[in-house]
Amino acid sequence: MTIHSLLQLLVVIEECKLTKNVVVELELVLRSYKFDFYGLLRQPRPNVDIANFILAGRWPDNWPRTYASKRYLLVDPVARHLGRAQRPFRWRDAMIALKGDPLRRRMEQMMADARANGLVDGYIFPIHGRNGLLGSMTIGGDAVDLSPTELSLFDAVARKAFWRLLELRDEAQSLEEAAKGDVNLTKREMEVLNHLAEGMTSIEISKLLKISNHTVDWYTNSIQDKLKARNRQHIVAIAFRNGLIP
C-alpha cells in the first residue's frame, strides 16, 4: 500500500454517509499496513466504562478482558504518556519516556501480555481541541516502521475519522460547543487538571510531571481560583461541566 492510499482515504472518509462505511474504509487501509488492531475513541472520563467512549475498534479476542481484569488502565504506559503528548508517538517510546516510573514492572508486565495477544507494537495519535485532549486513535499489531510522511498522514486520518464519526452520530456539535470554555488555563494547568480528573494525588502528579509536590499544589490552587471551585472534587466537576475535560 502506498502513501496515495492514505491521501485517498482522507477524501473517502469525508464522502462516507454511514459510520459503518467510515470503519470499513479505515480498516482496509490499516490492514494493508499490517495494523490488524486499532481503537478510535473520545478521551474517557474517570469512573465511566471506557466502552461508552469507543467510536470504532478491533482488538485481539482476549485482550479487552485481560486489560480490564488486570486493571491495566491504571498503569498503561501508552495511555499515561498520551496525557502529556502533543504529537503521535510509538508505543515503545512511551516505555522509554517512563523508564524511571515506580510502576515500571507492572508496565512491562502489561506490554508482555499485549505482545502475547498479538499487540507487538503500534502508534497512537492524540486528537486535541482548544482545551486539551479530545480523543485518540491507536493502531497496532506487528512492528511496522512508518516514514515521517506516513506518520503525518495517519495523524490527519485519525482526526478526519474522529470528527466524521462524531458528525454521523450527531455528536460533533456538542463536543465542539463543550470545548468553547472561557477559562484560560495554561498548558501545565491543563496537564494537572487532567491528572486530577484521573484521581491522582499531588504526590503522584509530581512524580509523573517531574515537579515538586508544592508546585503541583500551586497549580491546583491556581486552577481552583480560576474555576471558582471549593475543593479538588469541585474542580473536576466544574471542568467536566464546562468541557475543559472531554
Side-chain angles (χ1 to χ4, degrees):
M1 190 64 70
T2 65
I3 287 175
H4 177 73
S5 67
L6 292 169
L7 291 169
Q8 187 176 26
L9 180 59
L10 289 169
V11 176
V12 171
I13 288 174
E14 190 64 36
E15 295 175 345
C16 288
K17 303 301 181 184
L18 299 172
T19 57
K20 66 179 181 180
N21 293 340
V22 175
V23 172
V24 167
E25 296 294 341
L26 176 62
E27 290 186 354
L28 182 64
V29 173
L30 290 178
R31 283 177 170 170
S32 72
Y33 271 93
K34 300 190 183 303
F35 294 119
D36 293 326
F37 309 110
Y38 76 100
L40 185 61
L41 66 158
R42 293 177 58 171
Q43 184 65 7
R45 297 179 182 178
N47 304 317
V48 180
D49 187 349
I50 193 172
N52 294 327
F53 300 92
I54 296 175
L55 300 177
R58 180 187 299 277
W59 297 104
D61 291 339
N62 295 323
W63 180 241
R65 183 169 60 252
T66 299
Y67 191 88
S69 64
K70 295 190 176 182
R71 298 172 61 84
Y72 279 150
L73 180 61
L74 301 176
V75 299
D76 187 342
V78 177
R80 293 178 65 185
H81 192 55
L82 175 65
R84 55 185 178 181
Q86 298 298 314
R87 297 180 297 174
F89 61 91
R90 203 162 185 166
W91 294 353
R92 64 190 185 195
D93 292 338
M95 288 295 292
I96 294 172
L98 298 169
K99 61 182 179 181
D101 194 282
L103 298 175
R104 176 79 182 187
R105 291 189 63 182
R106 282 274 288 150
M107 289 187 223
E108 290 174 343
Q109 179 185 346
M110 180 200 134
M111 298 305 284
D113 277 347
R115 288 191 294 272
N117 280 272
L119 296 167
V120 177
D121 198 10
Y123 298 82
I124 191 162
F125 303 86
I127 300 169
H128 290 94
R130 176 182 174 185
N131 293 308
L133 189 64
L134 299 180
S136 64
M137 182 175 81
T138 185
I139 56 179
D142 292 336
V144 177
D145 295 322
L146 295 178
S147 70
T149 300
E150 288 171 322
L151 200 62
S152 295
L153 288 173
F154 266 112
D155 191 31
V157 164
R159 294 193 301 272
K160 177 68 73 173
F162 177 82
W163 286 108
R164 188 59 182 152
L165 286 174
L166 287 177
E167 288 170 356
L168 294 172
R169 291 166 54 145
D170 293 324
E171 296 176 6
Q173 185 176 355
S174 61
L175 185 58
E176 289 173 329
E177 290 174 350
K180 296 177 182 177
D182 294 329
V183 179
N184 184 24
L185 298 182
T186 66
K187 178 182 175 181
R188 187 60 108 183
E189 287 171 344
M190 284 301 303
E191 288 178 328
V192 171
L193 175 59
N194 276 279
H195 294 315
L196 287 174
E198 293 169 358
M200 296 178 69
T201 65
S202 291
I203 294 175
E204 291 171 330
I205 296 173
S206 69
K207 290 179 180 178
L208 184 62
L209 298 182
K210 294 182 172 57
I211 57 179
S212 73
N213 184 25
H214 294 300
T215 302
V216 173
D217 289 338
W218 185 87
Y219 282 123
T220 301
N221 290 335
S222 177
I223 297 169
Q224 184 171 330
D225 289 341
K226 289 181 179 181
L227 297 183
K228 296 180 173 57
R230 294 188 298 273
N231 50 45
R232 292 192 174 201
Q233 292 75 21
H234 198 206
I235 285 174
V236 174
I238 292 174
F240 278 130
R241 191 161 59 239
N242 288 278
L244 294 173
I245 305 173

